[in-house]
Amino acid sequence: MMDTVMGVDVGGTKILIGLVRLDGTITHERRYPSQRGSQEIAIAAVKRAVAAYWAELVESGAIPRPDAIGLGLVGQVDHRRAEWVFSMATPILTPYPLGREISEQFQIPVIADNDVHCATLAEIRFGVGRRFRDFVYLNVGTGIAAGLVSDGRLIRGHQNNAGEVGHIVANIDVPCECGRVGCIEAYASGGGMIRHARALMEQYPDSVLAQLDREGRMVSSTIIQAAREGDALAIRVAELMMKAQLSMVQDIINFMDPQAIVCGGGVFRDPWLLQGIIDGLTGWLPPNNLALLDNITVSKLDPQKIGLIGAALCAYQETSA
Ligand SMILES: [Zn+2]
């Protein structure tokens, strides 16, 4: 029986590593910088962080040797082979056997999974999954993705790539990095709102967003705030975002029939988005499904820890399966 797993949560700006127990408690947490300049640089940063943690805490005997390492990675991950397959944001263009390399270096089982799948595993075990067998974990941060849960199990799909709801098309003419036109992620994610505002900036010379952008402070929360204060560009960006989010959630409800939707990711920190979605669904949902409105909530798990716990959970599950 496994006792402790070393969880590694690889985000866009930081890599969090900690020792995670089966009950979800985390100790000996450390933070390292992540990098995304190129595939080589991104992979080297992960290996460096794992090696630094191992040297400081495991090799020194400060903590017991973990039973496995669980890696949470952005983009597409082959969870069976612990291979980092593909990612647009952190450029991973050639499948890379990151898990096998770390496993050989430290002589320990290494399991990897996509970060949103990891967070969903944490929700299944410690969050909304305690109440509901059928739910969707919707993450709106830099990008958009969902964990789809049916009868208590994460739906992985053929290549562990199910839940890419950010690339649902809402029929609007904004090109997306994935090659389609009109994907929601291009204008309704945190990163997409910033790109959309920049693309329209010239048409709104008086917008406060220009100043915010120059100061490096134009993010989803400041755009939403500017919209509240009446800034015309911010209103345009936020209204399109909301329209697309509502459309996406309606699509998710149609194809998953969830009993609950639990929301995570930085953009949900402002209650505006969740309220807008609930308002939009009211009057659209049929009378027999109105109970769903009470079960669309922001995740109660700590957003700083959910990825780390989930990365460790995928290791517990895969190695005990
Ligand atoms: Zn797309």
Side-chain angles (χ1 to χ4, degrees), residues 116-171:
V116 173
H117 282 184
C118 286
T120 307
L121 293 175
E123 286 290 347
I124 290 172
R125 192 172 181 99
F126 299 115
V128 71
R130 291 179 156 182
R131 290 176 62 209
F132 303 110
R133 302 280 296 167
D134 295 282
F135 72 91
V136 171
Y137 173 71
L138 175 61
N139 188 277
V140 181
T142 310
I144 301 174
L148 312 174
V149 178
S150 178
D151 199 22
R153 290 173 61 101
L154 172 66
I155 296 177
R156 294 185 172 280
H158 169 54
Q159 297 192 87
N160 195 31
N161 204 34
E164 288 292 338
V165 297
H167 301 278
I168 288 175
V169 166
N171 198 20

Side-chain angles (χ1 to χ4, degrees), residues 88 166-167 176-180 183 185:
M88 283 188 285
H167 301 278
C176 177
E177 289 173 308
C178 79
R180 300 181 83 187
C183 294
E185 189 163 284

Side-chain angles (χ1 to χ4, degrees), residues 155-227:
I155 296 177
R156 294 185 172 280
H158 169 54
Q159 297 192 87
N160 195 31
N161 204 34
E164 288 292 338
V165 297
H167 301 278
I168 288 175
V169 166
N171 198 20
I172 296 162
D173 292 337
V174 182
C176 177
E177 289 173 308
C178 79
R180 300 181 83 187
V181 173
C183 294
I184 282 159
E185 189 163 284
Y187 43 84
S189 62
M193 290 176 86
I194 296 169
R195 290 194 294 277
H196 189 212
R198 282 191 186 134
L200 297 173
M201 202 77 91
E202 269 183 23
Q203 299 174 43
Y204 296 85
D206 301 329
S207 171
V208 299
L209 298 188
Q211 174 75 14
L212 287 171
D213 197 19
R214 275 194 298 275
E215 294 167 356
R217 293 196 295 126
M218 187 172 75
V219 292
S220 61
S221 60
T222 53
I223 295 172
I224 293 165
Q225 185 55 33

Side-chain angles (χ1 to χ4, degrees), residues 39-82:
Q39 170 156 342
E40 290 71 29
I41 289 171
I43 287 167
V46 178
K47 286 185 177 171
R48 208 160 41 236
V50 170
Y53 190 90
W54 195 272
E56 184 200 335
L57 293 160
V58 183
E59 226 157 64
S60 71
I63 59 172
R65 189 185 161 84
D67 298 306
I69 296 177
L71 291 175
L73 304 168
V74 295
Q76 202 179 329
V77 177
D78 181 336
H79 69 295
R80 291 199 182 86
R81 304 170 67 185

